[in-house]
Amino acid sequence: MRASRRPTPIRSTGTVVVEAAILVLAFFVATPALADSFTLPLPGTLLQAVAATGPGGRPGIALLVAAGPGTKGAKTLLFLDPERRGLVRLAGGLHEEVNALAALDLAGNGGAEPIAGMPGVLFAPAGGEGARRVLEEPNVDLRSVAGATLGRPWLAAAHTGLLELLGPAGGGTLVRKTSFPLPVRAERLRWGLRLASPPVTLLAGEPPLFAIGPQAVGRRRIETLLQPAAGGEQTEAWSLLPEDERLTSDRRYLRLDGLPALAATTYGKIGILAKKRLRLFALGRDRSRKGSAPSFAFETDCPLWYALDVAAADADGDGRQDLVLAHPGGLRGKEILVSAYHGSGGGRFDPDPRRWKLGEEASDWLYGTDLTGDGVPDFLVLVKDRFMLYAGDPKGSRPLAGRPLWAVTMAGAPQKDQGNEREESAGEEAPGPEREHYLMAFELPGGVRVAMAKGASKDGKTVLTVVRR
């Protein structure tokens, strides 16, 4: 792999071109060898990235960037064209409170125009470096609903008591298409009462469905509301923990063979050797409110102090979704483990999983995107400054290949924080630092697949390492 000594100019596509970035681009080939790598300087801190349609209808990735290190200052909206290996400035000088990014077919031409948002206002590119307001309505915040809306004819936003779907109104603007009520609960604080609604998540798959929750009720019951995006009555689902145990922050709503499910991790007592327990609940109507027992429950190999990712994916190529866990292992988290539990349908899984282990400490990892194009999910992992892809292996004894398909030296790799020690907590959630995400993966129209790793230069500006197939 060769790296150019001087920045390579970026070709213009008819709009203002950004030349200040650091970018490493490399291409997948039949062998692990990589070529055509180069570096360019980025103008600030990357806040968010989303697959979108750029100038000329080209598929790529929209980037929301702050003016300098950190999140403060004016924001800029850029477009990364992986095919042309260039960056284009879509809009500059956006308000300093802009903090979110989405994409929607505003023009009705099948594209996905990037939309940047701040609480109460949404913007879209207006040509050149300008931006136009496409919606101005109090309480609208693109960060309020988890789950990707790409490919949907609407954006979703939630606030106290209300979930809203926002869609094109003609003339390149947005209006409220429909809304659904959310439960409101009051919490007594020293200064008075705070009213809040539960978190809202858009589940992957069809038909579009929102999960509202989870809400812990007492020591063992968990409440979830299911709201179809097409309208209709909300379904009230209740889950019952096997015993008196505490929820951790690792909670995720999944679709398993089309059916909604809640994957939650719990713990009994805090201890150096404590491991997280996984509780998988099928979600359905429960008029009794007693709660359904988990359909699958076991103790994981993940130490209580580390993050655990849960995914629903067909890891063995049999057409049914499996349950896949990825997390650090060992007392000090010096290895990364991936376990794939074979699904037999109906929320049933083989308790003896296929296992894969990498005996190195990972700064970040990402499972689930098919970056090789063979229909099987792959695994991205960042170890020190090595950005690697392990291909999924549906027929082997392990869910992933034993050797990486490619390994790229990441620019601006994160440095281990020696002072980030574990601390015990008496709170309801397991202790440990929040995991920072450095890795991203995108499947773009036309079969283009892009993996990115987010680093930082010495002056604090973001550095992207990008690999395209």
Side-chain angles (χ1 to χ4, degrees), residues 399-425:
L400 301 171
R403 296 176 61 86
L405 183 63
W406 52 256
V408 177
T409 299
M410 175 186 172
Q415 301 297 313
K416 183 178 179 181
D417 184 1
Q418 300 295 336
N420 196 13
E421 298 294 335
R422 300 189 298 262
E423 296 181 0
E424 293 196 0
S425 167

Side-chain angles (χ1 to χ4, degrees), residues 64-377:
L64 181 63
V65 177
T71 60
K72 296 182 180 180
K75 305 305 191 299
T76 301
L77 185 59
L78 308 176
F79 179 77
L80 168 62
D81 187 332
E83 187 72 25
R84 294 178 176 175
R85 295 173 263 164
L87 284 170
V88 178
R89 191 192 306 271
L90 298 179
L94 295 174
H95 195 281
E96 64 178 7
E97 293 185 16
V98 170
N99 55 19
L101 189 61
L104 182 69
D105 183 8
L106 273 176
N109 56 10
E113 186 173 353
I115 295 176
M118 57 185 279
V121 186
L122 303 183
F123 303 90
E129 291 192 48
R132 68 183 193 278
R133 296 191 178 198
V134 296
L135 181 74
E136 189 166 0
E137 184 175 324
N139 300 319
V140 170
D141 189 344
L142 293 179
R143 301 172 302 170
S144 59
V145 176
T149 60
L150 189 65
R152 306 293 185 188
W154 36 257
L155 299 176
H159 54 90
T160 304
L162 200 65
L163 168 63
E164 299 178 311
L165 303 187
L166 312 169
T173 60
L174 288 170
V175 295
R176 181 194 299 166
K177 292 294 185 179
T178 188
S179 61
F180 308 104
L182 295 176
V184 178
R185 293 188 178 180
E187 179 184 3
R188 185 176 296 278
L189 302 174
R190 287 180 297 177
W191 49 264
L193 291 178
R194 180 176 64 183
L195 301 179
S197 292
V200 180
T201 302
L202 173 62
L203 275 65
E206 298 293 338
L209 180 69
F210 293 96
I212 303 164
Q215 289 274 90
V217 180
R219 299 297 296 181
R220 296 183 59 191
R221 292 189 303 154
I222 305 170
E223 180 187 13
T224 299
L225 297 177
L226 300 174
Q227 173 63 62
E233 183 182 2
Q234 291 181 350
T235 297
E236 191 174 320
W238 290 82
S239 307
L240 183 66
L241 293 172
E243 55 185 274
D244 186 5
E245 48 195 320
R246 295 181 178 181
L247 289 169
T248 78
S249 57
D250 295 322
R251 316 165 192 172
R252 183 173 179 182
Y253 286 105
L254 308 170
R255 255 199 172 107
L256 292 166
D257 296 321
L259 301 177
L262 169 63
T265 59
T266 67
Y267 66 100
K269 294 181 180 180
I270 293 178
I272 295 297
L273 300 179
K275 302 289 183 67
K276 289 184 177 181
R277 308 165 181 173
L278 186 103
R279 309 310 191 203
L280 183 68
F281 298 96
L283 299 178
R285 189 180 302 277
D286 183 359
R287 299 186 186 277
S288 71
R289 297 187 175 183
K290 293 181 179 179
S292 301
S295 58
F296 194 41
F298 58 94
E299 183 174 279
T300 74
D301 294 322
C302 181
L304 182 58
W305 315 98
Y306 296 107
L308 182 149
D309 290 351
V310 184
D314 183 6
D316 52 19
D318 68 349
R320 291 188 293 265
Q321 286 187 301
D322 309 308
L323 191 68
V324 182
L325 276 60
H327 56 82
L331 184 61
R332 298 181 61 85
K334 298 293 186 179
E335 57 193 26
I336 189 77
L337 306 176
V338 177
S339 304
Y341 295 82
H342 172 74
S344 56
R348 297 183 299 274
F349 298 92
D350 186 338
D352 185 18
R354 294 192 299 153
R355 300 181 187 273
W356 179 92
K357 181 173 75 172
L358 180 65
E360 298 185 79
E361 184 176 7
S363 302
D364 193 18
W365 59 91
L366 182 63
Y367 177 86
T369 304
D370 175 19
L371 289 166
T372 58
D374 62 357
V376 180

Side-chain angles (χ1 to χ4, degrees), residues 396-468:
S397 59
R398 297 176 295 184
L400 301 171
R403 296 176 61 86
L405 183 63
W406 52 256
V408 177
T409 299
M410 175 186 172
Q415 301 297 313
K416 183 178 179 181
D417 184 1
Q418 300 295 336
N420 196 13
E421 298 294 335
R422 300 189 298 262
E423 296 181 0
E424 293 196 0
S425 167
E428 288 298 309
E429 294 188 351
E434 286 285 335
R435 168 170 147 233
E436 184 169 354
H437 293 280
Y438 302 100
L439 305 183
M440 295 163 278
F442 305 90
E443 293 186 59
L444 306 179
V448 177
R449 293 167 170 85
V450 178
M452 299 200 308
K454 182 181 68 172
S457 58
K458 291 183 179 179
D459 60 1
K461 296 180 181 179
T462 294
V463 180
L464 291 179
T465 301
V466 181
V467 183
R468 168 194 169 274

